Amino acid sequence: MPSSKLRIGIAGLGRMGKRHAVNFHDLTQRAQVVAVSTPDPTERVWGKENLEGVKIYEDYDDMLAQENLDAVIVASATSVHAEQAIKAISKGYHVLCEKPLSIDLKVARSVLQAYENSKKKNPKQKVMCAFSRRFDASYREAHGQIAEGQHGSPVVFRSQTADLLDKTGSFVDYAKTSGGIFVDCSIHDIDLMLWFLGEDRKLKSLQAVGVTAVHPELNAMNDRDNAVARLEFDGGKVASLYCSRMMAAGQEDTTEIICEKGSLRVNMEGRKNHVVVHDAKGARRDLPQHYYERFREAFITEAYEFTTCCLDDVAVPITLSSSVRAIEIAMALQRSLVSGNKIYFGEDGQEISKTMSKL
Amino acid sequence: MPSSKLRIGIAGLGRMGKRHAVNFHDLTQRAQVVAVSTPDPTERVWGKENLEGVKIYEDYDDMLAQENLDAVIVASATSVHAEQAIKAISKGYHVLCEKPLSIDLKVARSVLQAYENSKKKNPKQKVMCAFSRRFDASYREAHGQIAEGQHGSPVVFRSQTADLLDKTGSFVDYAKTSGGIFVDCSIHDIDLMLWFLGEDRKLKSLQAVGVTAVHPELNAMNDRDNAVARLEFDGGKVASLYCSRMMAAGQEDTTEIICEKGSLRVNMEGRKNHVVVHDAKGARRDLPQHYYERFREAFITEAYEFTTCCLDDVAVPITLSSSVRAIEIAMALQRSLVSGNKIYFGEDGQEISKTMSKL
Amino acid sequence: MPSSKLRIGIAGLGRMGKRHAVNFHDLTQRAQVVAVSTPDPTERVWGKENLEGVKIYEDYDDMLAQENLDAVIVASATSVHAEQAIKAISKGYHVLCEKPLSIDLKVARSVLQAYENSKKKNPKQKVMCAFSRRFDASYREAHGQIAEGQHGSPVVFRSQTADLLDKTGSFVDYAKTSGGIFVDCSIHDIDLMLWFLGEDRKLKSLQAVGVTAVHPELNAMNDRDNAVARLEFDGGKVASLYCSRMMAAGQEDTTEIICEKGSLRVNMEGRKNHVVVHDAKGARRDLPQHYYERFREAFITEAYEFTTCCLDDVAVPITLSSSVRAIEIAMALQRSLVSGNKIYFGEDGQEISKTMSKL
Amino acid sequence: MPSSKLRIGIAGLGRMGKRHAVNFHDLTQRAQVVAVSTPDPTERVWGKENLEGVKIYEDYDDMLAQENLDAVIVASATSVHAEQAIKAISKGYHVLCEKPLSIDLKVARSVLQAYENSKKKNPKQKVMCAFSRRFDASYREAHGQIAEGQHGSPVVFRSQTADLLDKTGSFVDYAKTSGGIFVDCSIHDIDLMLWFLGEDRKLKSLQAVGVTAVHPELNAMNDRDNAVARLEFDGGKVASLYCSRMMAAGQEDTTEIICEKGSLRVNMEGRKNHVVVHDAKGARRDLPQHYYERFREAFITEAYEFTTCCLDDVAVPITLSSSVRAIEIAMALQRSLVSGNKIYFGEDGQEISKTMSKL
């Protein structure tokens, strides 16, 4: 095992940035967090107090200019993900970029382009979008069993991301720039769908509908608080997605992969821990309140494996092109959600323009 | 409590006919099965051996002509449901008719019309389509909690009927006359959907897609072995359905009703009984193999309550018009499944004709 | 199938008497409830209103004298179980007697003696103590798997009967004549223990301790509201029992049978029905509130099978001698509970007298 | 937050030693593993390859003599736990010692004595026995709810440690020096029992029985492969323990704490991850195969918190005296298991000598 550590710079110390910082700094032996950058003074104070030996920058470009890094973790605001990722890519650094790359498809594709260009010169360079569920032990177990052929070919993929109701309403503000519920909530389900059904599988059609049950103000932003979608792929595969922002008991991520000879359920009964209480209200358990309670271990594994892939020149487990594709699909679903129209795709993967209208 | 029993004639002694016969004859004290009719000689032998004191007819019309009945249970082949039901209705008898009334919408509507005509003369007459899940204790508990307002208004309804893979292939033959997977499998989910979201709620659109994963010969019959659908109702309600005919572990009926303040899950973890085995294959339980293992109690309750409603002049819990509506919806889903088109409905409940085409 | 029905008389129309009456009268086709007797006028009124065509007696002896019966169901107060059972046995009737036969071991043995005497003259006569769990589908599944050798020999048997807290306190009154918590609550677990470990297996020792956590007044009656016990059998088998009268969520009957190659769990997660509610209190389900909610189906099966065994001369599934043995064991546990002493048994099955004292 | 790290030496790099080494070295930011010692050359090779920057000693005394440490983790063979712990204690070091301190009660008490003596001079010195379940999120949740009074006072404590069957038989060898099944398997349950029922609660009696179902050779070592025990404490508390070494599906640790107003279940349904497979064998999940799969997170938390307690002078969450008491109880259970006798304890906590004999 080589003794050199992966020298890392982190962009952003918001909610996810802090978590990445702790995971790489404290829990990933082969990583060394060298520097972080954030324009937010409060975050810089947090960094000083919690990231011993790490240099704190206000400006991302300054960090890139002054530090000798091997890798950059982009955990800043979504609006700058792509720009910051491209700058790091251009320097030949490995990049782990928070999802989504962008809510503008062209911009997302430009990240992929930058990587493809850079990789010609830096064949060992790794760029990965942080789809944490691919590192979750349960999804891996499920994927492994299917890959081994234990259950036959997958036929139907059903997945949901349903978030705890945010009573503060801060979520509604966030919705303005989130890209919509499919880009914000379902992007993980879409990534899993591609992973389980095949990243190159051709999409034939998709369709979505949704409602605003608890946040009617979302309508003005062309968004919804509950939505269902279904997608049709070639080779006889269908997918059904559900996303919600009004769960009462906690965050509920569940996935079913129904194969020809068996089916796999991931987290159909959420649970925060192993405690069940029996009292006058019945037998009950708590659910995770947020995705991080469910996926904390996956994020730590992600940090560990990203580090390992970079240091040992092993392919990262998620291709950047599939992450761009996830955005494409999420945005098409969001369009269908708003228009109500079913969208068809041709053999070339392009949307088929239609004169479909509601009369 | 009156001492007279409900005098019942049963049409058909096939799988469901036998079950109704046992349930009414042996397990429903206030019912008296007087006669049964079936053209099948094997079924008549079964009747003689198992239905003590019951007269066995070959011909349904003979039974109607010769017996003095109060009620008729129509449990014959789907193709004669409507005709037999109408004959009994015309005699003023109470009727419990197996689902579906018909796979021809006009015919189904004619049963409703016959009942409406007859009821003017026989205001106490009861006619009900046998949607057994409405008698299941779990669905009733769920519906009761929502009706009491415990969880706020229902927003998203998700339900599935997924049958054990039929390795004999006899199912494929049956598919020729079943009306298709939505009429055959999902009709119960559609009935529940109407019950939970509101029987009069206006449908705005629906869309379905499906695949043939294990029974490719179904394509020739315009059918599928797995299908997903979503429906959009006014008032901000959506529904997502899944039906399958290739489950490996057993029959899996599950329903989720997601309300503004909470959500209800019915049978998300199926189980045949209370046994869990821990052995080298892990911790495991069996699932019901067929719907009757899951719903036997509901069928017995149905027999008991139908009898009570007739004898005591209480409204039956399922209106006949909602059962006709379930067929309308199932058939529209089946059309969408085959065409791939999204179907829109106008304010008047009629489909909106569209020049929608795949270019 | 013979056309004659089993002519039944029922002694007692209390809680269990009513249930037996309904089960035999309404739900067991081959049984005909001819008469019932009860000294309680209110129960007689209930009988008149609910048991159509059944003669109602005040006096048990009158019923026996005047009716032509095939079988008697003894569902009266425990104090008269044995006497009434013996009278019916002496007339050559089949008898289904509620548990326990008696809380006096000599008296219980006298019922067995009466049956053994009578059976010489009436070799087809059936007498069975109503241990309903033997008719439960889950216990039968478990027993069947073990009998087939699927899991190797059973080694450890753990079982509990834990009742919902009775806030009315009426339970404490009942405790005066119940024989104590092991006779009242654990008798079913003891019966199951004998069934799973072997009805003839020799007991080597037993020991019990208990507390009075919510009903301190039980101490005065030499009873407890929670108790644990362990028993040791020859052949390398041990059993652990738990009984409680203070459950908050409902009635909790669970059993584990740990075998050499696997283990079986029966009802480790109780549930009243298939509904799970997700709300601000977490994900929760209701438990059965009373044993009848859990075991109603088993009681109906018991009625059906007892009737069949009598009519078709098939051996009943529970030997009367094992039911007497269950009382022996329950009473020994109760003695150990009160004295604190471990009790040893010799090769002959007799307790070994000891000069054991707490110094 | 202070910048100095806790300088740690680790004794032993066996199974647990390796885990502690990784947890402290890689996953605990405020800890610095300075040195390890192990007489095993293979373990030293592992240390060189995996513990970058850590000095490797063959001899524990050499490590103590030459290194400047703050804390020692004793993870060597049980037979030297006490001796090594006492040496480190005498140097004023903080000590985290694997359980059990010793299987000789006098020796275990000598560790406590050494700590009490040393602490007079080193009031900030921390010594803790590594009862990892106290750091498990689920047990903490349960303990916290009870401490807050949510469920009333605990009355009955039931707990089990049931290990996967070891087909290699290496376990039998280990049994020679393990102290027996209660010292080896149940020590964690005993620790939890003291935590939940009260560390100072007086024991009134205990009794154990066991069998050798799969490893008959254990009898020669006065050990068993399955055992049940019950204990009686003052204040109306009882406990029931079960330990086993022949589980087929995996490791099964479960605990129930039954309180006056509710009850808590910890891990009643074990699961390795969130995957459930539905196939022809039913619906099934895997169980953890070893305790570390269940408790890995607890061990990491233990490392983190021990480090924090030492650096910040916070009391460790487990008193050393309670750990000695756990050994006392485990050994008394083991004696009862072998003799079959119930053991009584007087007001002074001493065993009451009895002339109890099996005649």
Side-chain angles (χ1 to χ4, degrees), chain A residues 14 18-19 32 96 130 194 197 221 241 260 282 308 319-320:
Chain A
K18 284 189 183 74
R19 288 166 180 163
Q32 180 185 6
L96 176 68
L194 292 170
L197 297 184
M221 309 169 202
L241 306 180
E260 286 166 359
T308 300
T319 66
L320 194 61

Side-chain angles (χ1 to χ4, degrees), chain A residues 38 40 64 70 144 173 208 241:
Chain A
T38 169
D40 182 320
L64 281 203
D70 299 317
D173 268 346
L241 306 180

Side-chain angles (χ1 to χ4, degrees), chain B residues 164-176 214-215 217-218 221 245:
Chain B
L164 183 71
L165 177 67
D166 172 11
K167 291 180 180 168
T168 69
S170 70
F171 154 74
V172 177
D173 270 346
Y174 176 61
K176 289 171 192 163
V214 291
H215 292 302
E217 59 274 43
L218 289 172
M221 308 170 201
R245 287 156 167 166

Side-chain angles (χ1 to χ4, degrees), chain C residues 232-245:
Chain C
E232 190 183 8
F233 290 88
D234 69 357
K237 315 290 180 194
V238 289
S240 183
L241 306 180
Y242 172 51
C243 44
S244 176
R245 288 159 167 163

Side-chain angles (χ1 to χ4, degrees), chain A residues 160-175:
Chain A
Q160 74 169 43
T161 296
D163 287 341
L164 183 71
L165 176 67
D166 172 10
K167 290 179 181 171
T168 68
S170 71
F171 154 74
V172 177
D173 268 346
Y174 177 61

Side-chain angles (χ1 to χ4, degrees), chain C residues 158 160 207 230 340 342, chain D residues 158 160 207 230 340 342:
Chain C
R158 300 206 295 170
Q160 73 169 42
Q207 212 276 314
R230 47 121 238 87
K342 183 172 178 179
Chain D
R158 300 205 294 169
Q160 73 169 43
Q207 212 278 312
R230 45 122 240 87
K342 181 172 177 178

Side-chain angles (χ1 to χ4, degrees), chain D residues 108 128 146 179 204 232 244 346:
Chain D
M128 184 173 83
I146 290 173
K204 293 170 67 179
E232 188 183 10
S244 176

Side-chain angles (χ1 to χ4, degrees), chain A residues 333-357:
Chain A
L333 285 169
Q334 196 73 16
R335 279 200 307 282
S336 176
L337 175 68
V338 173
S339 73
N341 290 340
K342 182 172 177 178
I343 298 174
Y344 297 88
F345 297 84
E347 277 298 304
D348 56 356
Q350 297 302 307
E351 289 185 29
I352 298 174
S353 70
K354 299 220 170 168
T355 54
M356 171 74 195
S357 63

